[in-house]
Amino acid sequence: MKKAIIFGVTGQDGSYLADFLLKKKYSVHGIKRKSSSFNTERVNHIFEKKNFYLHYGDVTDSSTVQNLINLIKPDEIYNLAAQSHVAVSFKIPEYTANTVALGSLRILEAIRSSNLRKKIKFYQAGSSEMFGKVQQIPQTEKTPFYPRSPYAVSKVFAHWITINYREAYKIFACNGILFNHESPRRGETFVTRKISLALSKIKLGLQRKLLVGNLNAKRDWGHAKDYVEAQWLILQQKKPNDYVISTGENHSVKEFIDLSAKFLNIKLRWKGKGIKTKAYDQKGNCIIECSKKYYRPTEVDTLLGSSLKAKKDLNWKPKIKFNQLVKEMVNSDYMNLKKNYVKKKR
Ligand code: NAP
Ligand code: GDD
């Protein structure tokens, strides 16, 4: 039985990856950090599974990282742990660098200094945010990076330290450069989930207005379920390598809103430009407004990836299309809210 460690198991990707690896008959060791409130909601459904283990740990704490690796002796390590919110990284840059950049280094150092250096395969969760102010369209493994936030700069460090440990110490260390991927388990402050939740609440009369930032930003949005499969495939190759994982199409935040509204049968009428853009429902109520609060000091305007290398080497391509993704997110939020709301009313 193969053993895997997932740093960041309580996050969106960590939980889907744990589901995926358990189905592949792995013994899965998830690392969760200490929190004063419950942070295991996304893995509660596998909590009691025979081959699933949860350990306390934190990527800012090198001795625990080292102890866990020496204790578990994994075949594969997935480093998904991060302060992963781009806007928040401008507010807490040092903490972001500590988790995102140094967190990766701590895990790599623990692998290097253990006697399992030749056995362990390491996956680093890289990001399309590293392309930032894009130097080429579409972005590939060869496109130069131009990071635009403390988060993205930290991911660039993590990317290169992974390559450095591969070359210097022959560790099987790989980077996935993943474009945005979403799901019903997406954190509620990322734009897609913020939209699916808010419009569902507006439809049910539980919220009046949605406040957003830059409506024109474009992202290459895929489904997290497809993307965790790519993470695993990257570690199953004969040689360690780096891969862009993307859908090859992008859409604006405004398009995401329009499609979500369509699935909820809300008819939107847009008015105004830039920060003054507003959207009204069929009754003439203003239900969407822009706020400077959600703009970033330096924005990434557009991202679009090419996954030709992943298709060729990993035989990977995304199965879930943009329309299906939006529909699944909106349906999930609407149905859950409706269930809870009706329960409360009773
Ligand atoms: P997420 O939902 O924010 O999950 C991040 C995970 O890291 C959570 O389990 C979080 O724990 C944990 N974490 C945060 N700080 C930690 C620390 N100091 N020590 C240990 N664990 C810590 O992110 P995601 O969307 O699943 O993304 C997974 C990874 O892929 C991240 O590294 C992200 O930067 C990267 N990535 C994501 C995307 C995307 O579109 N989703 C694209 C490219 C790259 P809590 O649950 O306690 O907060
Ligand atoms: N969060 C948020 N909230 N974003 C908004 C809003 C809003 O109200 N309004 C507009 N946006 C715009 C952002 O300015 C950005 O251009 C875009 O929507 C997407 O924002 P997020 O959903 O926060 O994701 P992200 O692209 O910044 O970062 C995500 O994807 C990266 C991969 O490219 C995160 O998951 C990162 O961890 C990941 O690396």
Side-chain angles (χ1 to χ4, degrees):
M1 182 182 268
K2 274 196 186 174
K3 273 189 266 180
I5 292 184
I6 304 175
F7 286 95
V9 74
T10 55
Q12 171 189 254
D13 288 14
S15 65
Y16 280 116
L17 182 64
D19 292 344
F20 180 86
L21 294 177
L22 286 171
K23 275 205 195 109
K24 291 248 170 239
K25 306 280 181 238
Y26 276 63
S27 160
V28 177
H29 295 258
I31 313 302
K32 66 163 185 171
R33 60 182 178 154
K34 168 72 182 83
S35 141
S36 62
S37 50
F38 288 109
N39 61 353
T40 51
E41 197 190 336
R42 294 185 181 105
V43 288
N44 279 345
H45 62 290
I46 49 174
F47 201 75
E48 306 259 303
K49 287 244 167 165
K50 203 168 73 204
N51 296 320
F52 184 65
Y53 307 89
L54 270 180
H55 308 261
Y56 279 111
D58 198 300
V59 292
T60 62
D61 175 356
S62 38
S63 59
T64 314
V65 169
Q66 225 164 43
N67 291 342
L68 283 166
I69 291 174
N70 288 324
L71 176 84
I72 297 163
K73 302 189 183 8
D75 300 278
E76 296 170 10
I77 296 179
Y78 295 85
N79 177 28
L80 313 181
Q83 187 304 92
S84 73
H85 203 286
V86 174
V88 173
S89 79
F90 288 97
K91 307 286 179 199
I92 46 170
E94 188 179 326
Y95 176 74
T96 302
N98 197 5
T99 58
V100 176
L102 296 182
S104 310
L105 174 60
R106 288 186 187 101
I107 299 172
L108 283 163
E109 252 307 278
I111 298 173
R112 186 197 63 76
S113 61
S114 75
N115 52 14
L116 304 162
R117 189 199 310 183
K118 293 214 172 89
K119 167 184 155 161
I120 299 176
K121 293 179 171 182
F122 173 76
Y123 173 83
Q124 164 57 27
S127 166
S128 51
E129 276 291 304
M130 298 188 292
F131 297 121
K133 190 170 179 182
V134 297
Q135 302 295 295
Q136 212 176 38
I137 298 174
Q139 295 87 58
T140 71
E141 292 78 6
K142 295 202 169 112
T143 304
F145 297 140
Y146 194 141
R148 298 267 282 171
S149 63
Y151 166 81
V153 173
S154 305
K155 283 286 183 191
V156 172
F157 174 90
H159 178 89
W160 281 109
I161 202 69
T162 299
I163 293 175
N164 183 241
Y165 271 56
R166 176 164 85 211
E167 292 175 352
Y169 307 116
K170 311 284 174 258
I171 294 173
F172 195 108
C174 309
N175 289 294
I177 307 175
L178 271 55
F179 282 62
N180 297 50
H181 44 281
E182 320 291 312
S183 73
R185 296 188 197 168
R186 183 56 143 155
E188 294 177 12
T189 58
F190 297 96
V191 78
T192 55
R193 187 75 199 288
K194 183 172 163 181
I195 294 166
S196 66
L197 255 180
L199 289 185
S200 298
K201 283 187 183 168
I202 290 170
K203 179 74 186 177
L204 289 163
L206 303 171
Q207 182 174 324
R208 295 246 285 277
K209 210 173 265 180
L210 162 66
L211 288 183
V212 286
N214 181 6
L215 288 164
N216 300 320
K218 282 187 155 186
R219 289 292 182 272
D220 179 331
W221 277 302
H223 196 298
K225 259 193 195 169
D226 283 339
Y227 285 46
V228 299
E229 185 185 8
Q231 294 171 2
W232 174 76
L233 282 169
I234 289 173
L235 293 196
Q236 310 315 308
Q237 302 310 297
K238 283 214 176 82
K239 287 190 180 155
N241 213 327
D242 310 317
Y243 293 94
V244 160
I245 302 296
S246 63
T247 70
E249 66 176 65
N250 64 9
H251 300 271
S252 68
V253 172
K254 191 158 175 269
E255 280 176 76
F256 197 102
I257 294 179
D258 280 332
L259 196 55
S260 304
K262 191 178 141 213
F263 286 131
L264 286 163
N265 213 8
I266 302 175
K267 289 203 176 66
L268 285 181
R269 206 161 33 85
W270 290 97
K271 273 191 177 173
K273 273 193 181 157
I275 189 81
K276 294 210 170 115
T277 311
K278 291 181 184 183
Y280 298 83
D281 68 7
Q282 46 270 59
K283 287 185 191 146
N285 300 314
C286 173
I287 59 166
I288 302 171
E289 265 185 53
C290 296
S291 163
K292 271 274 170 235
K293 198 173 139 190
Y294 296 107
Y295 278 66
R296 291 150 191 202
T298 37
E299 173 64 293
V300 170
D301 296 318
T302 181
L303 289 171
L304 180 68
S306 162
S307 285
L308 282 179
K309 183 175 167 187
K311 186 158 188 255
K312 185 168 160 275
D313 291 6
L314 315 177
N315 195 21
W316 179 89
K317 63 174 191 209
K319 299 180 190 89
I320 303 169
K321 298 266 177 253
F322 180 68
N323 268 33
Q324 286 169 273
L325 167 71
V326 180
K327 193 174 186 182
E328 187 188 334
M329 290 181 74
V330 168
N331 264 345
S332 160
D333 279 330
Y334 181 77
M335 294 315 288
N336 280 336
L337 284 163
K338 198 171 166 192
K339 212 166 52 195
N340 291 336
Y341 181 56
V342 170
K343 228 193 259 167
K344 261 193 204 151
K345 267 180 104 182
R346 276 195 198 130

